[in-house]
């Protein structure tokens, strides 16, 4: 499991920030070309790349390289809206508005939300839920080190979405749900789950502990880190991950995310199918816990450029950023991305005004105007896509030794 080598990876990441590295355009270009060709960088090589980002000349080189580099299906865009099932949560993370006072959709309400998205043309949907103790019920003997759940109620939502989406042909279910045990993942696989996503938040254990209550399931960081491997054991086809930019030093977070992707390649033959790009938004940005780690637009763009070069998986641009900003990124670096245009981060907000609090603020944008703007730029926009389609957006994977 990745967590067994986590301390070593973090200790290596701590070497990021060596300002004594001299700019070497030739060396940096060689490393970027190696990564872009699908070859895996070792720790020292990755450290070199990330330490180069402290130098303006090297940053410019990375940005220019990413602009010239074509990824698979670079004129096509996959659309993926979130459908929130519940905001009732036992974790009470300090940067999130979800709590025990949230709302859970009934199956009828869920069906109404699903039909609204289908009516807009969507056939590929992300199901999102908090750590709702009624959906992810603790088994007898549950403890933070040995987390097992009863998820029959959660399965009902997945099965409902699977059955409805498959009526119209090509479709895909992605989830953004709490980490689970292998048996629970198998049940979700049977209920139609194609891609398991979990945000790793921050990889720094001290910061992670300061942001999450110590008696909730999320307090066990190792259980979260190893959830991808349990999902693979359950034969879930695709994995998606990322860190929340702004909770800690984004450069060190990038290093660890790459190490996790490399670990998955060595163990199962492929890494993340989707790389998330969320940036912390909302009032919590002003907290003393995180304000020193604020990611500027300039740094965010640089991180996107690195992601396009370093990872085989498709990048996911979300509504935490404005449509105009995302469009600038697509113009600059090309498409071959997932994009969220329709988004409500509160349960029940598509077919009527939501009664619950949103998880975080999003930019509102008109779906049809946004799609038209993308098409006018020469991009193709796909509302309906499936697991095979997602595979076609992946860069070819080189063999990695476990």
């Amino acid at each position: 499991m990745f967590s067994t080598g986590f301390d070593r990876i973090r200790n290596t990441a701590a070497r990021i920030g060596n300002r004594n590295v001299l700019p070497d355009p030739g060396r940096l270009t060689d490393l970027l070309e190696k990564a872009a060709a699908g070859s895996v960088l070792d720790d020292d090589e990755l450290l070199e790349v990330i330490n180069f980002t402290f130098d303006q000349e090297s940053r410019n080189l990375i940005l220019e390289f990413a602009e010239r580099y074509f990824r698979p299906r670079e004129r096509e865009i996959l659309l993926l809206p979130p459908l929130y099932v519940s905001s009732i949560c036992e974790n009470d993370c300090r940067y999130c508005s979800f709590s025990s006072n949230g709302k859970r959709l009934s199956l009828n309400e869920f069906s109404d939300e699903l039909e609204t998205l289908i009516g807009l043309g969507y056939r590929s949907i992300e199901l999102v839920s908090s750590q709702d103790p009624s959906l992810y019920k603790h088994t007898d003997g549950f403890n933070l080190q040995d987390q097992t759940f009863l998820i029959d109620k959660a399965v009902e939502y997945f099965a409902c979405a699977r059955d409805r989406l498959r009526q119209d042909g090509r479709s895909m279910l992605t989830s953004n749900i709490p980490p689970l045990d292998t048996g629970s993942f198998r049940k979700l696989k049977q209920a139609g789950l194609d891609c398991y996503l979990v945000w790793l938040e921050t990889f720094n254990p001290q910061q992670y502990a300061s942001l999450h209550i110590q008696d909730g399931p999320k307090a066990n960081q190792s259980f979260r880190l190893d959830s991808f491997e349990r999902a693979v054991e359950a034969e879930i086809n695709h994995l998606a991950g990322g860190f929340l930019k702004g909770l800690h030093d984004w450069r060190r977070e990038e290093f660890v995310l790459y190490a996790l992707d490399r670990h998955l390649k060595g163990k199962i033959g492929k890494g993340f199918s989707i790389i998330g790009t969320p940036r912390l938004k909302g009032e919590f940005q002003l907290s003393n816990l995180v304000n020193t780690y604020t990611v500027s637009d300039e740094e965010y763009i640089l991180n996107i450029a690195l992601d396009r070069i370093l990872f085989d998986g498709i990048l996911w641009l979300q509504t935490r950023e404005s449509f105009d900003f995302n469009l600038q990124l697509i113009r600059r670096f090309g498409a071959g991305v997932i994009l969220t245009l329709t988004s409500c981060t509160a349960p029940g907000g598509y077919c009527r005004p939501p009664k619950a609090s949103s998880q975080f603020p999003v930019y509102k944008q008109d779906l049809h105007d946004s799609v038209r703007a993308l098409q006018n730029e020469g991009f193709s926009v796909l509302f309906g896509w499936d697991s095979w389609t997602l595979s076609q957006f992946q860069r070819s994977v080189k063999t990695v030794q476990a």
Side-chain angles (χ1 to χ4, degrees):
M1 291 291 191
F2 180 73
S3 63
T4 60
F6 186 44
D7 287 343
R8 181 191 65 79
I9 293 295
R10 289 192 305 102
N11 290 337
T12 305
R15 292 159 53 192
I16 291 171
N18 177 7
R19 303 301 183 91
N20 295 322
V21 174
L22 296 177
D24 185 344
R27 174 61 175 168
L28 176 56
T29 299
D30 287 345
L31 291 173
L32 296 178
E33 288 179 345
K34 178 178 179 179
S39 296
V40 175
L41 302 183
D42 63 28
D43 284 352
D44 289 337
E45 291 172 326
L46 183 59
L47 280 172
E48 284 188 79
V49 170
I50 296 179
N51 274 325
F52 276 130
T53 66
F54 290 102
D55 167 67
Q56 185 61 55
E57 181 182 350
S58 298
R59 285 198 293 270
N60 292 340
L61 192 156
I62 292 168
L63 292 169
E64 291 168 3
F65 187 99
E67 289 170 2
R68 300 192 308 269
Y69 171 55
F70 294 133
R71 289 185 58 100
R73 313 289 282 264
E74 59 94 25
R75 302 302 297 177
E76 298 176 67
I77 297 168
L78 306 179
L79 297 187
L80 183 62
L83 201 174
Y84 277 69
V85 174
S86 178
S87 60
I88 299 171
C89 193
E90 61 178 310
N91 282 319
D92 198 22
C93 304
R94 298 183 68 171
Y95 49 88
C96 177
S97 65
F98 287 178
S99 69
S100 59
N101 296 319
K103 174 180 172 57
R104 180 189 316 115
L105 298 181
S106 68
L107 277 174
N108 285 337
E109 290 172 325
F110 176 78
S111 294
D112 290 343
E113 292 287 281
L114 185 60
E115 289 299 332
T116 299
L117 290 174
I118 289 173
L120 293 173
Y122 292 109
R123 297 296 181 271
S124 303
I125 291 174
E126 174 202 20
L127 296 190
V128 186
S129 75
S130 54
Q131 188 101 40
D132 185 328
S134 292
L135 296 181
Y136 310 101
K137 186 178 179 181
H138 298 185
T139 58
D140 293 339
F142 176 95
N143 62 73
L144 293 184
Q145 301 308 313
D146 183 21
Q147 298 186 25
T148 52
F149 300 90
L150 300 172
I151 65 163
D152 290 349
K153 288 187 177 180
V155 167
E156 292 178 358
Y157 294 90
F158 281 85
C160 175
R162 172 201 63 196
D163 293 345
R164 178 62 185 89
L165 289 170
R166 287 181 180 176
Q167 292 177 20
D168 296 312
R170 177 169 291 183
S171 65
M172 180 164 172
L173 275 181
T174 299
S175 73
N176 183 352
I177 58 172
L180 298 170
D181 56 280
T182 304
S184 294
F185 278 128
R186 288 197 178 101
K187 291 180 179 179
L188 291 181
K189 167 69 175 177
Q190 294 172 355
L193 179 59
D194 298 297
C195 178
Y196 168 65
L197 175 150
V198 65
W199 301 138
L200 285 310
E201 316 298 17
T202 172
F203 291 110
N204 181 274
Q206 291 74 34
Q207 184 73 325
Y208 189 91
S210 71
L211 296 171
H212 304 98
I213 61 171
Q214 295 307 294
D215 58 353
K218 198 170 181 178
N220 186 341
Q221 188 179 24
S222 293
F223 188 78
R224 195 172 193 85
L225 291 170
D226 295 337
S227 61
F228 299 106
E229 291 164 82
R230 293 193 298 275
V232 170
E233 290 173 3
E235 299 182 345
I236 292 172
N237 294 328
H238 294 283
L239 304 174
F243 57 89
L244 183 51
K245 306 178 196 306
L247 293 184
H248 203 257
D249 183 332
W250 72 266
R251 288 177 172 86
R252 296 187 181 188
E253 306 278 52
E254 181 82 350
F255 182 94
V256 181
L257 183 66
Y258 185 90
L260 174 53
D261 183 72
R262 184 177 60 197
H263 170 82
L264 293 171
K265 288 178 179 177
K267 185 168 184 177
I268 65 173
K270 64 178 181 178
F272 292 116
S273 296
I274 300 172
I275 298 295
T277 61
R279 180 163 51 157
L280 181 65
K281 294 295 178 77
E283 295 180 0
F284 192 74
Q285 294 177 95
L286 304 177
S287 168
N288 290 334
L289 287 171
V290 299
N291 59 13
T292 58
Y293 303 117
T294 298
V295 177
S296 67
D297 285 355
E298 180 184 12
E299 290 177 318
Y300 184 81
I301 293 168
L302 179 61
N303 196 176
I304 295 295
L306 279 175
D307 284 346
R308 288 183 62 86
I309 298 166
L310 293 177
F311 293 98
D312 300 321
I314 182 174
L315 270 62
W316 185 0
L317 305 179
Q318 296 139 330
T319 52
R320 292 175 186 255
E321 312 296 335
S322 70
F323 173 74
D324 288 342
F325 187 48
N326 282 330
L327 181 56
Q328 290 173 28
L329 293 171
I330 293 171
R331 284 172 176 158
R332 184 171 187 178
F333 300 120
V337 298
I338 294 174
L339 179 64
T340 295
L341 293 176
T342 303
S343 181
C344 178
T345 63
Y350 289 125
C351 58
R352 59 186 63 88
K355 297 179 180 179
S357 298
S358 296
Q359 187 180 26
F360 53 82
V362 299
Y363 282 89
K364 300 298 182 183
Q365 48 217 2
D366 182 272
L367 174 62
H368 298 294
D369 286 348
S370 299
V371 170
R372 188 180 303 112
L374 291 166
Q375 292 173 335
N376 288 340
E377 297 275 348
F379 297 106
S380 298
V381 180
L382 283 68
F383 283 79
W385 46 280
D386 57 15
S387 179
W388 180 86
T389 310
L390 180 59
S391 297
Q392 302 309 297
F393 280 72
Q394 311 302 301
R395 196 166 59 187
S396 61
V397 179
K398 296 293 180 69
T399 300
V400 181
Q401 295 298 319

